[in-house]
Amino acid sequence: AQSVTQLGSHVSVSEGALVLLRCNYSSSVPPYLFWYVQYPNQGLQLLLKYTTGATLVKGINGFEAEFKKSETSFHLTKPSAHMSDAAEYFCAVSNLNVGNEKLTFGTGTRLTIIP
Amino acid sequence: DTGVSQNPRHKITKRGQNVTFRCDPISEHNRLYWYRQTLGQGPEFLTYFQNEAQLEKSRLLSDRFSAERPKGSFSTLEIQRTEQGDSAMYLCASSLRQGPNSEAFFGQGTRLTVV
């Protein structure tokens, strides 16, 4: 079984400030971890993913995330927020490495950027 | 644009009516997934296909739901005798299986409102 917990359903940061979106996972096998972004009335776009190897993963739009096995976390960060970052962000886990490709998503974090 | 295409984008139907949604995956993607997203929640897995074979179905997929992918290309999701609880965004995704490098690309979704 696998699950994802996203702490904070709403996060507000000032433009230019650090963005930190929290994600903790539960998985019975080593997980694959993902962050997706969703703009209003749109589908999901992959920001970044961790499968194996380097635990610090860089994605699109200046985002990065670090896989910390000891903390079962995969928090998303961006050093300087931009107005265009306002969206809903979803953390997800899969067990693709053992043939289970379905994604299990968290409930999402809505990011608001304050001008 | 050769992304995942979903039709219709919006559907309003009366309770008890049947509805059918279509998903056209990215050409040559052999895996196709259906997810359901209700307001304020992350997407939930419904089912997925490899080519024309339906490999897994979620317990969320009641007997009123049926999905097909007859020729291993486009897919349809039918809901019979719709209920108000079926109101949600239905998302389709496709991928070309390449192990750790596999990425699911999502369509823009079909928003269903049952009145």
Side-chain angles (χ1 to χ4, degrees):
Chain A
Q2 54 195 32
S3 66
V4 171
T5 300
Q6 291 185 241
L7 297 177
S9 58
H10 292 84
V11 171
S12 296
V13 301
S14 298
E15 189 175 16
L18 171 72
V19 175
L20 170 61
L21 304 182
R22 300 179 185 274
C23 172
N24 289 88
Y25 70 90
S26 173
S27 177
S28 56
V29 298
Y32 286 4
L33 295 160
F34 307 79
W35 274 100
Y36 284 86
V37 61
Q38 186 177 37
Y39 297 99
N41 297 314
Q42 299 294 316
L44 300 167
Q45 181 182 10
L46 181 66
L47 279 176
L48 50 79
K49 64 181 179 182
Y50 168 80
T51 55
T52 59
T55 57
L56 182 62
V57 180
K58 294 184 184 298
I60 62 171
N61 301 339
F63 284 94
E64 62 183 37
E66 186 172 10
F67 170 62
K68 292 187 176 180
K69 183 179 178 180
S70 61
E71 299 178 7
T72 60
S73 69
F74 191 58
H75 301 331
L76 181 70
T77 61
K78 182 175 180 177
S80 177
H82 190 272
M83 294 300 293
S84 61
D85 294 328
E88 186 105 26
Y89 291 79
F90 293 95
C91 182
V93 62
S94 81
N95 294 143
L96 178 61
N97 48 337
V98 292
N100 185 344
E101 291 196 10
K102 69 181 182 184
L103 292 163
T104 299
F105 289 86
T107 52
T109 297
R110 182 170 298 279
L111 177 64
T112 300
I113 310 298
I114 303 167
Chain B
D1 183 80
T2 57
V4 177
S5 176
Q6 291 189 247
N7 288 287
R9 291 290 311 278
H10 303 274
K11 178 71 176 179
I12 300 174
T13 190
K14 291 183 178 180
R15 188 176 52 184
Q17 297 294 304
N18 299 343
V19 294
T20 300
F21 311 140
R22 177 178 170 126
C23 171
D24 287 90
I26 293 172
S27 180
E28 298 182 353
H29 276 194
N30 57 355
R31 298 235 166 179
L32 187 147
Y33 313 80
W34 285 99
Y35 289 82
R36 180 175 70 184
Q37 184 179 20
T38 53
L39 202 60
Q41 299 297 316
E44 296 172 293
F45 171 80
L46 292 178
T47 187
Y48 87 93
F49 295 83
Q50 179 171 314
N51 299 314
E52 65 275 10
Q54 189 172 18
L55 296 186
E56 185 174 349
K57 292 168 58 174
S58 163
R59 284 173 288 181
L60 292 174
L61 217 62
S62 75
D63 291 345
R64 297 184 297 104
F65 288 71
S66 63
E68 295 183 341
R69 195 182 183 198
K71 297 182 180 179
S73 57
F74 73 92
S75 176
T76 58
L77 178 67
E78 180 183 16
I79 308 174
Q80 296 182 326
R81 305 181 302 282
T82 53
E83 302 173 355
Q84 287 189 321
D86 298 330
S87 296
M89 174 80 89
Y90 290 85
L91 294 166
C92 176
S94 70
S95 71
L96 180 63
R97 187 180 184 189
Q98 291 179 328
N101 295 320
S102 175
E103 177 183 341
F105 291 84
F106 283 81
Q108 293 184 306
T110 294
R111 181 170 295 283
L112 172 66
T113 302
V114 181
V115 298

